[in-house]
């Protein structure tokens, strides 16, 4: 524990400008008697560096750009590989694990070691990896890198330790899974095909062992050649040369026939008794045309041939549709007897796999489901019902249903909010799902002891909002809200919305949610705000519409008389556009006839509408067009339920709305906010006062998030991966070359000096807002409701307010807003405000306790507003009145003592980059300031002393998606959108890292391997004769020798020993450690064996030479020497 004291000598030298107040405050040294003296600021800080560690916890959503699929039929777990080298392993709900190949190479194929707790991955860099799944965080045990050949197909027979690997050259290699060493046994392509064949058969596209005899390997080549190779006698049993390229092969379980899918959309059936030609050729989707010819069809990319005990076999395949049906969706076809069912998919099929009751390929398969991996979805089809319904997916695979445009993360929510959201959302769930249990039910997961209610909110491009239950590192959809329902539908290709944002006029930019009062606000891309209240009852309601003219024009600012214009006040809003104070059009703007003026971008529904239980729109605020110019996007928002106020700002100014009385209280340009307290009038001493910033951009650092008024971001997948799409974007290169900005000129962006300084000030954006109980001026003795305003030029303004306290007066008496009080300054755009009491405890904003607005009235108990205040004066008695204000900007953080406005602590967070996100969060029963920088660093600072506690270079910021969606929350957690379809959650708390093993699910559970049904018969058939197949005897080093060392390189797994340290304790961990030790011992024995072999060879050579010499000299007489 450390104590921090700061002795103030009137002026704070650590922060120039930090002591600046309004003119009425007099000298900065003048501290009112009500303020605590410096000696009374005595905060015991408990957080130390050891409380922090950064690690990933869990990844939610659909694996981005999937490439491969595998299923363990005994363990019942599913694996999905992706193009970026990720592997997602799924079991029962809660069992969800993400692994990443260090190389980042795409995963080509996945093969489970069935019921062994291991997985083999084949990657595009021609490397095989063996993953150990017997630990909660899988790790690579071995890797094998092929140097001279490219891997195209892998096959691992059930209960075998020998993996068959086909290559692009047409060769088949065999790898020992236990040691991950190549066998000397190789099936060369030129041995597999006939010597008389003049052409290369192409890459290996299929490998499988015959269900009838494991010693027979079926090899499919791309060109259409199929070879059955007898592994014992090392020669081909038969060769098939077909004139259509092969994509896949499927066996009948008896091993007497197999089926192939081809590039011309045909399926061929082959009988092993006669392989000269197929005994059946079908074009499932090819019709005979008028001229008698078959219509051409697309390739059938994969076929599965699965037998049933009591019915016809299932033939399941993807593709094969005729080319003439343009625009048809991708299909999966299920042929069962004479019935053909075509399932249309929303996205292209990447891979599919039939799930069968038995792991043995020589038994009746009895398929019960088909897993279909699509480009952007995962579905499982129930084969046991004739209408083939899909199972309801328990994983959140639809986060990206519409592209995610913003996120919010709330830990430690009120415990009742999750059940009530779930009950409302459950009424709108889709129906028609299979009644059976989700078949991917492997692994074990229990609710850990370190869980608390957490909610994630995602905003989407189509205007929808999704609430997710994120408790206990799972993710479950709770409730969906469509904000577009508040508006009339814009007509396609016309209307105001079409000109502003062609694709997504309702796209969500920002959300603000108070879990206690359940007030919810949404900011949309069309410069609109919707305020929602929560109700458990449906209601007939009419949405109130307010329209705000928040547009600044240069003429208004240059003229001194117009500088003192009254703000645009409007009366209580109705549903039609209000008459607003008209500004004269700019003389220089030559706009055509019929320019748009004083109209919003969207049309609010102006009739009574029936709204269901849940979040119900009460108020819509829209910014208006001015002189043909669309409104600037809203950059900041705060709403307070206790005050009944909502504040928002953009690069033109600030507006405050009383949402209880439905009136606009304040609508003013940023420059007019200062009044006589404009800080730039005080900086004349600086030789570099001229701020050379253009009027085109309105925000610094954060300007990358918001587009120019004429070129709005299109909230699509691209909009979250591009920096910006207009001339006002500032390169992220700023993060690399920041030295051009010193303290004074950090208030500007140097681009052009042709614009007047007064005009430049009009483009000072409001970047953050916060309501709270504070001291508007140094002379204030008691805290009052205040609005803290932060701007893009690093200025902090305090606006005091007077709010009627009585419930009846609140609905009738106006809220009055005083002139700006204190003015504080920092380097860089202001990002976040937070307040602490003088003991260092976090002060929450006041709120109103939720009450249902549509609940039936009780005459005996009239409903009253119940407000909860966290006033600085009531939170402590030991140090009198006053509180600490934590202010964080792009560049630095400062802690001010209020009401004296003295800067107690200052910390320059970064000089080489800028902060994207900052939050004051609770960790380990204390609070800290958490920051995420554009250069990928995650930092935490102690409060109030701003001591650096953690600084980790975690994530290179490669795209705007991460910048827009990164957010911190309490409990040492954070999240961001790691891809357009996935949410990555991380923790920066050492305590949570320590407890993570307990919270994660177990992928492997000890299960008895099912007995083979026909084992007795097979023993009688094969028992004791020469046909018994011993792979060890064939592929082992004794029989096959060693493979060429240059062919493949063995790489010991990095995660082997590290993984064991965090493996689950008990038998599994002990066995794994023993296995590692055995592997190491085996490696040493192998080296010893090699040395012994060299010595034996040397001895044999010596013996041979000695024998030759003896023979040469045997018949010679003594005198012939």
């Amino acid at each position: 524990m450390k104590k921090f004291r700061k002795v103030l000598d009137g002026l704070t030298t650590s922060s120039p400008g930090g002591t600046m107040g309004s003119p009425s405050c007099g000298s900065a040294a003048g501290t009112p008697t009500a303020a605590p003296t410096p000696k009374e600021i005595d905060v015991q800080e408990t957080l130390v560096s050891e409380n922090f560690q950064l690690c990933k916890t869990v990844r939610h959503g659909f694996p981005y750009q999937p490439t491969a699929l595998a299923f363990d039929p005994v363990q019942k777990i599913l694996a999905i590989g992706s193009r970026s080298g990720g592997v997602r392993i799924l079991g029962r709900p809660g069992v969800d694990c993400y692994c990443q190949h260090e190389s980042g190479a795409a995963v080509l194929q996945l093969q489970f070691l069935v019921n062994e707790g291991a997985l083999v991955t084949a990657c595009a860099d021609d490397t095989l990896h063996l993953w150990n799944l017997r630990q909660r965080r899988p790790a690579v045990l071995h890797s094998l890198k092929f140097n001279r050949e490219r891997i195209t197909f892998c096959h691992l027979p059930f209960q075998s330790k020998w993996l068959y690997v086909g290559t692009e050259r047409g060769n088949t290699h065999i790898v020992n899974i236990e040691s991950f060493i190549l066998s000397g046994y190789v099936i060369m392509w030129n041995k597999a095909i006939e010597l008389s064949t003049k052409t290369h058969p192409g890459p290996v596209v299929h490998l499988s062992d015959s269900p009838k005899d494991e010693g027979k390997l079926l090899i499919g080549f791309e060109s259409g050649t199929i070879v059955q190779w007898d592994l014992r006698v090392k020669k081909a049993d038969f060769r098939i040369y077909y004139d259509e390229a092969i994509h896949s092969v499927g066996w009948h379980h008896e091993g007497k026939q197999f089926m192939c899918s081809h590039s011309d959309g045909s399926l061929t059936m082959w009988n092993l008794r006669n392989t000269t030609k197929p005994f059946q050729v079908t074009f499932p989707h090819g019709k005979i045309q008028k001229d008698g010819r078959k219509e051409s069809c697309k390739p059938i990319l994969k076929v599965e041939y699965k037998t049933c005990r009591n019915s016809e076999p299932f033939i399941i395949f993807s593709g094969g549709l005729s080319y003439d049906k343009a625009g048809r969706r991708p299909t999966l076809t299920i042929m069962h007897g004479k019935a053909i069912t075509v399932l249309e998919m929303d996205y292209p099929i990447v891979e599919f796999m039939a799930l069968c009751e038995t792991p043995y390929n020589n038994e009746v398969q009895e398929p019960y489901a088909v897993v279909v991996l699509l480009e952007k979805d995962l579905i499982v089809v129930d084969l046991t019902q004739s209408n083939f319904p899909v199972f309801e997916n328990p994983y959140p695979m639809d986060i990206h249903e519409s592209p995610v445009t913003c996120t919010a993360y709330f830990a430690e929510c009120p415990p009742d909010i999750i059940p009530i959201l779930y009950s409302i959302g459950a009424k709108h769930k889709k129906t028609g799902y299979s009644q059976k249990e989700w078949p991917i039910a492997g692994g074990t997961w229990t609710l850990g002891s370190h869980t608390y209610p957490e909610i994630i909110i995602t905003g989407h491009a189509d205007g929808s909002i999704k609430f997710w239950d994120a408790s206990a590192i799972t993710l479950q959809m709770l409730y969906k809200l469509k904000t577009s329902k508040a508006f009339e539908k814009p007509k396609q290709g016309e209307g105001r919305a079409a000109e502003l944002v062609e694709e997504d006029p309702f796209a969500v930019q920002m959300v603000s949610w108070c879990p206690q009062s359940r007030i919810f606000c949404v900011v949309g891309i069309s410069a609109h705000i919707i305020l929602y209240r929560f109700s458990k009852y449906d209601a007939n309601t009419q949405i109130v519409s307010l329209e705000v003219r928040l547009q600044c024009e240069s003429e208004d600012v240059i003229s001194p008389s117009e500088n003192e214009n009254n703000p645009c006040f409007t009366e209580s809003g109705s549903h039609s556009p209000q008459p607003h104070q008209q500004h004269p059009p700019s003389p220089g703007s030559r706009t055509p006839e019929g320019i748009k003026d004083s109209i919003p971008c969207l049309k609010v529904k102006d009739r009574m509408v029936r709204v269901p239980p849940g979040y119900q729109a009460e108020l819509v605020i829209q910014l208006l067009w001015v002189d043909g110019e669309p409104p600037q996007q809203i950059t900041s928002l705060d709403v307070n339920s206790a005050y009944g106020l909502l504040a928002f700002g953009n690069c033109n100014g600030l507006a405050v709305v009383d949402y209880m009385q439905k009136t606009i209280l304040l609508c003013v340009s940023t420059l007019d906010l200062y009044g006589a307290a404009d800080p730039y009038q005080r900086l004349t001493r600086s030789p570099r006062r001229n701020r050379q910033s253009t009027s085109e951009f309105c925000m610094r650092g954060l300007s990358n998030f918001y587009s120019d008024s004429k070129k709005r971001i299109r909230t699509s997948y691209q909009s979250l991966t591009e920096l910006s799409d207009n001339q006002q974007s500032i390169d992220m290169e700023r993060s690399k070359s920041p030295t051009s900005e010193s303290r004074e000129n950090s208030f500007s962006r140097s681009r052009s000096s042709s614009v007047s300084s007064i005009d430049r000030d009009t483009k000072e954006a409001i970047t953050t807002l916060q309501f709270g109980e504070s001291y508007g001026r140094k002379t204030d003795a008691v805290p009052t409701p205040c609005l803290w305003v932060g701007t893009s030029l690093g200025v902090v303004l305090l606006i005091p307010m007077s709010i009627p306290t009585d419930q009846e007066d609140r609905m009738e008496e106006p809220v009055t807003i005083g002139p700006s009080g204190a003015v504080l300054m920092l380097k860089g755009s202001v990002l976040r405000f937070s307040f602490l009491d003088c003991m260092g405890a976090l002060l929450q904003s006041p709120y109103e306790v939720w009450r249902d607005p549509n609940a039936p009235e009780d005459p005996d108990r009239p409903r009253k507003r119940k407000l909860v205040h966290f006033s600085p004066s009531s939170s402590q008695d030991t140090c009198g009145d006053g509180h600490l204000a934590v202010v964080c900007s792009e560049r630095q953080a400062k802690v001010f003592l209020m009401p004296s406005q003295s800067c107690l602590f200052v910390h320059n967070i970064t000089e080489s980059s800028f902060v994207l996100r900052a939050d004051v969060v609770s960790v380990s029963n204390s609070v800290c300031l958490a920051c995420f920088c554009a250069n990928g660093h995650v930092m935490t600072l102690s409060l109030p002393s701003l001591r650096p506690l953690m600084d980790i270079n975690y994530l290179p910021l490669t795209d705007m998606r991460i910048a827009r969606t990164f957010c911190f929350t309490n409990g040492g957690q954070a999240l961001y959108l790691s891809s357009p379809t996935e949410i990555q959650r991380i923790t920066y708390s050492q305590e949570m890292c320590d407890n993570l093993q307990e919270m994660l699910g177990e992928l492997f559970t000890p299960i008895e391997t099912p007995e083979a049904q026909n084992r007795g018969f097979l023993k009688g058939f094969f028992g004791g004769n020469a046909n018994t197949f011993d792979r060890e005897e064939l592929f082992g080093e004794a029989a096959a020798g060693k493979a060429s060392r240059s062919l493949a390189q063995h790489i010991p797994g990095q995660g082997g020993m590290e993984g064991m340290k965090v493996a689950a304790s008990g038998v599994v961990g002990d066995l794994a450690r023993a296995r590692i030790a055995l592997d190491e011992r085996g490696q040493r024995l192998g080296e010893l064996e090699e040395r012994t072999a060299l010595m034996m060879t040397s001895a044999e050579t010596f013996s041979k030479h000695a024998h030759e010499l003896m023979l040469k000299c045997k018949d010679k007489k003594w005198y012939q020497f």
Side-chain angles (χ1 to χ4, degrees), residues 356-641:
C356 300
E357 295 289 353
T358 175
Y360 297 94
N361 66 347
N362 58 359
E363 294 180 358
V364 179
Q365 297 296 287
E366 293 289 353
Y368 57 89
V370 181
V371 179
V372 189
L373 178 63
L374 307 175
E375 272 190 7
K376 294 177 183 175
D377 202 0
L378 177 76
I379 65 169
V380 183
V381 180
D382 185 354
L383 292 180
T384 62
Q385 297 179 50
S386 57
N387 60 338
F388 303 130
V390 297
F391 289 90
E392 185 176 6
N393 197 325
Y395 318 122
M397 292 290 182
D398 58 346
I399 290 172
H400 62 286
E401 184 179 17
S402 173
V404 178
T405 52
C406 76
T407 57
Y409 192 5
F410 300 88
E412 299 167 0
C413 298
D416 60 334
I417 193 75
I418 289 177
I420 199 164
L421 282 172
Y422 181 79
S423 65
I424 299 285
K427 296 173 184 174
H428 305 287
K429 278 198 169 182
K430 293 178 183 175
T431 55
Y433 292 112
S434 170
Q435 299 300 309
K436 297 204 168 182
E437 289 283 319
W438 178 252
I440 304 160
T444 53
W445 180 75
T446 52
L447 202 64
S449 56
H450 301 272
T451 60
Y452 39 82
E454 297 176 68
I455 286 181
I456 292 171
I457 299 175
T458 54
H460 300 264
D462 64 355
S464 61
I465 303 280
K466 290 181 181 177
F467 289 76
W468 305 86
D469 177 7
S471 310
I473 71 166
T474 61
L475 195 69
Q476 197 68 37
M477 170 85 144
L478 287 174
Y479 174 71
K480 183 177 179 179
L481 173 68
K482 293 181 179 177
T483 63
S484 59
K485 287 189 174 180
F487 303 97
E488 303 286 359
K489 287 183 181 177
K491 292 178 181 175
Q492 192 66 33
E494 58 181 78
R496 301 184 289 257
E499 292 181 29
L500 182 65
V501 184
E502 295 88 344
E503 293 175 4
D504 301 306
F506 308 112
V508 178
Q509 270 191 301
M510 206 183 306
V511 295
S512 175
W513 186 49
C514 174
Q516 286 82 12
S517 65
R518 302 184 190 172
I519 291 282
F520 185 57
C521 265
V522 178
V523 175
I525 199 169
S526 299
H528 65 273
I529 299 169
I530 312 174
L531 183 134
Y532 290 89
R533 283 187 188 268
F534 187 84
S535 174
K536 293 190 284 187
Y537 304 93
D538 56 0
N540 290 314
T541 183
Q542 189 164 3
I543 303 167
V544 178
S545 173
L546 286 178
E547 294 169 352
V548 180
R549 187 184 176 101
L550 194 60
Q551 199 87 358
C552 295
E553 296 157 26
S554 56
E555 285 75 16
D556 297 335
V557 180
I558 289 171
S559 163
S561 60
E562 296 208 359
N563 244 352
E564 297 162 13
N565 275 343
N566 291 326
C568 328
F569 292 103
T570 56
E571 294 303 314
S572 179
S574 71
H575 312 288
S576 57
Q578 291 288 326
H580 296 282
Q581 183 177 329
Q582 297 296 315
H583 295 263
S586 311
S589 61
R590 295 173 182 167
T591 50
E593 290 295 322
I595 58 170
K596 292 183 176 177
D597 189 54
S598 299
I599 55 172
C601 301
L602 302 169
K603 187 175 188 317
V604 180
K605 288 180 179 174
D606 57 358
R607 60 186 184 277
M608 293 291 285
V609 289
R610 186 80 176 165
V611 287
Y615 273 105
Q616 300 167 351
E618 179 178 286
L619 175 67
V620 173
I621 304 163
Q622 293 191 85
L623 297 187
L624 299 173
W625 285 64
V626 176
D627 295 336
E629 284 291 312
Q632 297 282 357
Q633 288 179 16
I634 294 161
T635 56
S636 55
L637 170 81
D638 193 38
V639 62
N640 189 281
S641 56

Side-chain angles (χ1 to χ4, degrees), residues 1061-1073:
K1061 290 174 187 173
V1062 294
S1065 58
V1067 179
V1068 173
D1070 293 339
L1071 284 172
R1073 280 189 284 275

Side-chain angles (χ1 to χ4, degrees), residues 674-693:
Y674 290 115
D678 187 353
Y680 299 114
Q681 297 169 3
R682 297 162 182 255
L683 291 178
T684 51
R685 65 184 182 277
S686 167
R688 288 173 291 199
R689 181 185 176 274
N690 291 334
R691 298 180 300 285
Q692 298 178 339
S693 62

Side-chain angles (χ1 to χ4, degrees), residues 7 92 110 117 125 141 193 269 281 305 343 350 357 565 665 667 679 687 719 737 790 835 842 885 920 942-943 964 1059:
V7 178
R92 68 176 65 246
L110 299 163
D125 60 353
L141 291 174
I193 65 169
M269 289 278 284
V281 180
Y305 186 21
L343 303 177
V350 175
E357 295 289 353
N565 275 343
L665 300 175
C667 176
S719 74
S737 55
F835 310 119
L842 187 65
V920 172
S942 69
L943 288 176
R964 277 196 67 100

Side-chain angles (χ1 to χ4, degrees), residues 28 56 75 228 280 352 567 578 629 686 822 844 850 902 906 940:
K56 293 180 180 179
Q75 288 288 322
Q228 181 165 292
Q280 185 182 336
F352 74 88
Q578 291 288 326
E629 284 291 312
S686 167
Q844 288 184 329
W850 175 75
S902 308
V906 61
T940 56

